């Protein structure tokens, strides 16, 4: 059976799956386990990184940032491949590590990486020995003794130690062990990861797809390969079509026909609800791009504009910056994508007030 959904149905499923409806969830760990990932993005124009903003969007001002710090310190939550994940999920990734550099048949780029790591095996062993003696350590603690540099003419050119550590993570040899200021610390993976049974790689992949679909609600079975956490879910869930949108989707069946109670929310630019730009356009008809990498004169909505959710619609963007020294949350612009109702304006203003209060600031509207 293929489920037939209206766009409103589809949007509500996505919002509910991301815990952005009412009532709010109960705890930090509940949110992280359900979402499966929080992007460990340090950019903080609002004086808090994205992971904290994502948790505040779900939990409101009851969220205490110290809770996430404690969960990381206790290794209940572990950073892996740039994302904070529940520690019990690491066995699903260790299954992939066991077949590094990838599933057969290998692509040529995977063979190239394997050859590069093998060529620099001496440096790899030195890193492991140093961690065994001294860990946890930052990247800067390791001497670059690579015999062959990383073959890139771009951003990662000659960042040999960083790229070798990345492959050692993928191999299951080292793991992120927290941070010292803005510096990531590394340690032996055996000291970080729980000693849980590692499933078969195919079983692990199916489980990850199913968990991802529960967190997304609606997704494509296949999606173009890209860095970061995938947006596709394989054959998880059940088939669905959305009115006015081409192609077939996979839907989380437990969210079908569930009553919906919406609310207002201000979202991190790295929030999973808005990261799949194609789905964002097809289902929400929302025009959005993170503009922090654009020159000032080319920005439309602001350096770190927050998407604004109201009910099952993304209705605008908030251009705001925290200025702790002045004690204010500076609101340069509330961009309305269309003419808002009074109810929407009141609900969004309440969320802005809540954000300022959570940050310990007063709202200052510039525009």
């Amino acid at each position: 059976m293929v489920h037939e959904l209206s766009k409103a149905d589809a949007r509500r499923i996505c919002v509910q799956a991301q815990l952005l409806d009412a009532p709010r969830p109960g705890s930090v760990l509940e949110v992280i386990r359900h979402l499966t990932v929080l992007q460990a993005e340090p950019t903080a124009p609002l004086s808090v990184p994205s992971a904290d903003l994502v948790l505040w969007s779900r939990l409101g001002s009851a969220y205490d940032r110290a809770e996430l710090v404690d969960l990381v310190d206790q290794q209940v939550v572990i950073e892996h491949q740039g994302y904070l994940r529940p520690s019990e999920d690491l066995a699903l990734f260790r299954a992939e590590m066991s077949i590094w550099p990838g599933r057969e048949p290998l692509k040529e780029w995977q063979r190239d990486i394997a050859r590069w790591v093998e060529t620099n095996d001496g440096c790899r062993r030195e890193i492991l020995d140093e961690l065994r003696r001294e860990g946890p350590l930052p990247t800067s603690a390791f001497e670059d003794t690579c015999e062959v540099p990383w073959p890139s003419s771009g951003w990662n050119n000659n960042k040999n130690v960083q790229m070798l550590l990345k492959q050692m993570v993928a191999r299951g040899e080292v793991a992120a062990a927290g941070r010292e200021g803005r510096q990531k610390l590394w340690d032996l993976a055996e000291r970080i990861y729980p000693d849980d049974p590692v499933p078969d790689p195919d079983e692990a992949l199916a489980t990850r797809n199913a968990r991802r679909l529960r967190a997304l609600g609606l997704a494509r079975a296949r999606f173009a390969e890209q860095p970061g956490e995938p947006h596709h879910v394989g054959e998880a869930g059940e088939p669905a079509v959305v009115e006015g949108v081409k192609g077939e989707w996979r839907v989380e069946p437990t969210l079908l026909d569930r009553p919906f109670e919406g609310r207002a929310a201000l979202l991190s630019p790295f929030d999973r609800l808005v990261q799949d730009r194609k789905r964002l356009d097809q289902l929400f008809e929302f025009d959005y791009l993170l503009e922090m990498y654009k020159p000032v004169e080319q920005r439309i909505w602001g350096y770190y504009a927050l998407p604004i959710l109201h009910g099952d619609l993304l209705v605008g963007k908030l251009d705001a910056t925290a200025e702790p020294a002045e004690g204010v949350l500076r609101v340069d612009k509330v961009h309305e994508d269309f003419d808002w109702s009074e109810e929407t304006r009141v609900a969004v203003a309440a969320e802005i007030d809540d954000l300022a209060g959570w940050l310990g600031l007063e709202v200052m509207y510039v525009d």
Side-chain angles (χ1 to χ4, degrees):
M1 174 184 176
V2 178
H3 300 282
E4 297 181 0
L5 307 173
S6 67
K7 279 192 179 180
D9 293 332
R11 290 193 300 268
R12 290 172 181 178
I13 286 170
C14 296
V15 170
Q16 288 175 320
Q18 279 288 294
L19 306 180
L20 287 165
D21 59 336
R24 294 178 185 268
S27 73
V28 173
L29 193 53
E30 174 190 343
V31 173
I32 296 173
R33 282 176 168 156
H34 179 83
L35 298 184
T36 73
V37 293
L38 296 176
Q39 189 161 341
E41 164 57 50
T43 308
L46 293 172
S47 79
V48 296
S50 175
D52 287 305
L53 192 55
V54 168
L55 290 169
W56 169 80
S57 294
R58 275 76 182 166
L59 296 162
S61 56
Y63 167 54
D64 182 349
R65 293 181 61 200
E67 293 180 68
L68 181 59
V69 173
D70 288 345
L71 290 172
V72 173
D73 287 346
Q74 296 162 19
Q75 295 181 359
V76 176
V77 171
I78 293 173
E79 184 175 339
H80 177 64
Q81 295 177 329
Y83 292 86
L84 297 172
R85 307 176 187 272
S87 60
E88 61 265 26
D89 283 5
L90 265 295
L92 303 175
F93 292 88
R94 289 174 63 206
E96 290 290 326
M97 296 171 194
S98 70
I99 57 172
W100 183 92
R103 296 167 184 268
E104 296 289 351
L106 293 176
K107 297 179 176 65
E108 190 57 35
W109 64 266
Q110 292 172 311
R111 296 184 189 279
D112 289 342
I113 286 175
R115 284 191 288 266
W116 183 80
V117 172
E118 183 178 359
T119 301
N120 293 302
D121 190 61
C123 185
R124 183 184 70 85
R125 290 179 180 276
E126 289 172 9
I127 290 172
L128 292 173
D129 288 344
E130 196 161 357
L131 287 175
R132 195 167 287 112
R133 293 192 311 268
E134 308 288 345
L137 295 169
T139 304
S140 58
F142 305 116
E143 184 180 354
D144 181 359
T145 60
C146 287
E147 295 183 21
V148 176
W150 177 256
S152 168
S153 58
W155 179 257
N156 294 314
N157 188 42
N158 282 328
K159 293 188 175 181
N160 302 322
V161 172
Q162 293 96 316
M163 301 312 294
L164 187 54
L165 283 166
K166 181 178 179 180
Q167 297 309 318
M168 292 171 75
V169 169
R171 287 162 61 97
E173 295 176 316
V174 302
R179 290 179 180 269
E180 198 171 71
R182 292 178 68 89
Q183 286 196 92
K184 185 183 292 186
L185 299 176
W186 303 98
D187 204 347
L188 298 177
E190 63 199 47
R191 294 175 180 163
I192 303 296
Y193 297 155
D195 190 23
D196 296 331
V198 176
D200 170 83
D202 289 336
E203 177 189 336
L205 180 60
T207 301
R208 285 170 57 194
N209 283 340
R211 295 210 60 217
R212 189 179 305 118
L213 182 58
R214 282 196 292 273
L216 295 175
L218 192 70
R220 299 289 189 178
R222 283 164 292 281
F223 199 87
E225 288 293 331
Q226 57 187 26
E229 183 70 4
H231 298 295
H232 59 266
V233 296
E235 298 307 308
E238 297 177 359
V241 292
V242 178
E243 182 182 5
V245 181
K246 291 181 179 179
E248 190 172 276
W249 301 77
R250 305 299 295 185
V251 65
E252 170 55 44
T254 61
L255 294 174
L256 292 166
D257 302 318
R258 200 171 93 175
F260 178 81
E261 183 183 352
R263 61 178 179 86
L266 307 176
L267 307 180
S268 161
F270 301 96
D271 198 291
R272 288 288 278 173
L273 186 72
V274 300
Q275 277 194 318
D276 181 346
R277 299 292 193 248
K278 190 169 183 179
R279 189 183 77 156
L280 193 63
D281 176 58
Q282 291 176 329
L283 302 184
F284 289 86
E285 299 174 7
F286 187 62
D287 185 16
Y288 179 72
L289 181 69
L290 176 60
E291 297 179 315
M292 60 190 283
Y293 305 109
K294 281 187 170 187
V296 174
E297 63 275 10
Q298 294 181 20
R299 293 176 191 153
I300 300 171
W301 304 299
Y303 175 80
Y304 196 78
L306 308 185
I308 301 172
L309 176 73
H310 187 238
D312 67 348
L313 297 174
L314 287 159
V315 297
K317 298 92 177 170
L318 171 67
D319 182 11
T321 308
E323 297 182 352
E326 287 73 33
V328 299
L329 175 67
R330 176 190 173 99
V331 177
D332 286 293
K333 183 72 175 180
V334 180
H335 297 273
E336 299 184 7
D337 282 8
F338 50 84
D339 190 21
W340 289 359
S341 68
E342 184 62 22
E343 177 193 3
T344 300
R345 289 197 179 94
V346 169
V348 171
E351 282 299 293
I352 295 172
D353 288 343
D354 191 74
L355 175 60
W358 176 63
L359 294 171
L361 306 173
E362 297 288 335
V363 180
M364 182 181 76
Y365 286 92
V366 176
D367 186 13

